[in-house]
Coordinates of all heavy atoms in Angstrom, one line a residue:
A21 N 9.3 15.2 20.8 CA 8.2 14.2 20.7 C 7.5 14.2 19.4 O 7.2 13.2 18.8 CB 7.2 14.5 21.8
N22 N 7.3 15.4 18.8 CA 6.6 15.5 17.6 C 7.5 15.0 16.4 O 7.0 14.5 15.4 CB 6.2 16.9 17.3 CG 5.1 17.4 18.2 OD1 4.4 16.6 18.7 ND2 4.8 18.7 18.3
D23 N 8.8 15.1 16.6 CA 9.7 14.8 15.5 C 10.0 13.3 15.4 O 10.6 12.8 14.4 CB 11.0 15.5 15.6 CG 10.9 17.0 15.2 OD1 9.8 17.3 14.7 OD2 11.8 17.7 15.5
T24 N 9.5 12.5 16.3 CA 9.7 11.0 16.2 C 8.4 10.4 15.7 O 7.3 10.7 16.2 CB 10.0 10.5 17.6 OG1 11.3 11.0 18.1 CG2 10.1 8.9 17.6
I25 N 8.6 9.6 14.6 CA 7.4 8.9 14.0 C 7.7 7.4 14.0 O 8.7 7.0 13.5 CB 7.1 9.4 12.6 CG1 6.7 10.9 12.6 CG2 6.1 8.6 11.9 CD1 6.3 11.4 11.3
R26 N 6.8 6.7 14.6 CA 6.9 5.3 14.7 C 6.2 4.6 13.5 O 5.0 4.7 13.4 CB 6.3 4.8 16.1 CG 7.0 5.4 17.3 CD 6.2 5.2 18.5 NE 4.9 5.9 18.4 CZ 3.9 5.7 19.3 NH1 4.1 4.9 20.4 NH2 2.8 6.4 19.2
V27 N 6.9 4.0 12.7 CA 6.4 3.4 11.4 C 6.3 1.9 11.6 O 7.3 1.2 11.8 CB 7.3 3.8 10.2 CG1 6.6 3.2 9.0 CG2 7.5 5.3 10.1
L53 N 13.6 14.6 11.3 CA 12.7 13.6 11.8 C 13.6 12.5 12.4 O 14.7 12.2 12.0 CB 11.8 13.0 10.7 CG 10.7 13.9 10.1 CD1 10.1 13.3 8.9 CD2 9.7 14.2 11.2
N54 N 12.9 11.7 13.3 CA 13.5 10.5 13.8 C 12.5 9.4 13.5 O 11.4 9.4 14.0 CB 13.8 10.6 15.3 CG 14.2 9.3 15.9 OD1 15.1 8.6 15.3 ND2 13.7 8.9 17.1
I55 N 12.9 8.5 12.6 CA 12.0 7.4 12.2 C 12.4 6.1 13.0 O 13.5 5.6 12.9 CB 12.1 7.2 10.7 CG1 11.8 8.4 9.9 CG2 11.2 6.0 10.3 CD1 10.5 9.0 10.2
E56 N 11.4 5.6 13.7 CA 11.5 4.3 14.3 C 10.8 3.3 13.5 O 9.6 3.3 13.4 CB 10.9 4.4 15.7 CG 11.7 5.2 16.7 CD 11.1 5.2 18.1 OE1 10.2 4.3 18.4 OE2 11.5 6.0 19.0
R57 N 11.5 2.3 12.9 CA 10.9 1.3 12.1 C 10.6 0.1 13.1 O 11.4 -0.4 13.8 CB 11.9 0.8 11.1 CG 11.3 -0.3 10.2 CD 12.3 -1.1 9.3 NE 13.4 -0.4 8.9 CZ 14.2 -0.8 7.9 NH1 13.9 -1.9 7.2 NH2 15.3 -0.1 7.5
D76 N 2.5 5.1 14.9 CA 1.9 6.4 14.5 C 1.4 6.3 13.0 O 0.3 6.8 12.7 CB 3.0 7.5 14.5 CG 3.5 7.8 15.9 OD1 2.6 7.9 16.8 OD2 4.7 8.0 16.1
V77 N 2.1 5.5 12.2 CA 1.7 5.4 10.8 C 1.9 3.9 10.3 O 2.9 3.3 10.7 CB 2.4 6.4 9.8 CG1 2.1 7.8 10.2 CG2 3.9 6.1 9.8
W223 N -4.1 12.5 16.2 CA -2.7 12.6 16.3 C -2.2 13.5 15.2 O -1.4 14.4 15.4 CB -2.0 11.2 16.2 CG -0.5 11.3 16.0 CD1 0.4 11.4 17.0 CD2 0.2 11.2 14.8 NE1 1.6 11.4 16.5 CE2 1.6 11.3 15.2 CE3 -0.1 11.0 13.5 CZ2 2.6 11.3 14.2 CZ3 0.9 11.0 12.5 CH2 2.2 11.1 12.9
T230 N 4.6 17.9 11.4 CA 5.5 16.8 11.4 C 5.0 15.7 10.4 O 5.9 15.2 9.6 CB 5.5 16.2 12.8 OG1 5.9 17.1 13.7 CG2 6.4 14.9 12.9
I231 N 3.8 15.4 10.3 CA 3.3 14.4 9.3 C 3.5 14.9 7.9 O 3.8 14.1 7.0 CB 1.8 14.0 9.6 CG1 1.4 12.8 8.7 CG2 0.9 15.2 9.3 CD1 2.2 11.6 9.0
R233 N 6.0 16.8 6.9 CA 7.4 16.5 6.6 C 7.7 15.1 6.3 O 8.5 14.7 5.4 CB 8.3 17.0 7.8 CG 8.6 18.5 7.8 CD 9.6 18.8 8.9 NE 9.0 18.9 10.2 CZ 9.4 18.4 11.3 NH1 10.6 17.8 11.3 NH2 8.8 18.6 12.4
F234 N 7.0 14.2 7.1 CA 7.2 12.8 6.9 C 6.7 12.4 5.5 O 7.4 11.6 4.8 CB 6.4 12.0 7.9 CG 6.3 10.5 7.7 CD1 7.4 9.7 8.1 CD2 5.2 9.9 7.1 CE1 7.4 8.3 7.8 CE2 5.2 8.6 6.8 CZ 6.2 7.8 7.2

Side-chain angles (χ1 to χ4, degrees):
N22 287 344
D23 284 350
T24 297
I25 294 185
R26 300 164 299 172
V27 183
L53 292 171
N54 175 39
I55 303 301
E56 292 184 10
R57 184 192 330 195
D76 297 317
V77 298
W223 173 81
T230 301
I231 190 63
R233 275 186 284 137
F234 173 81

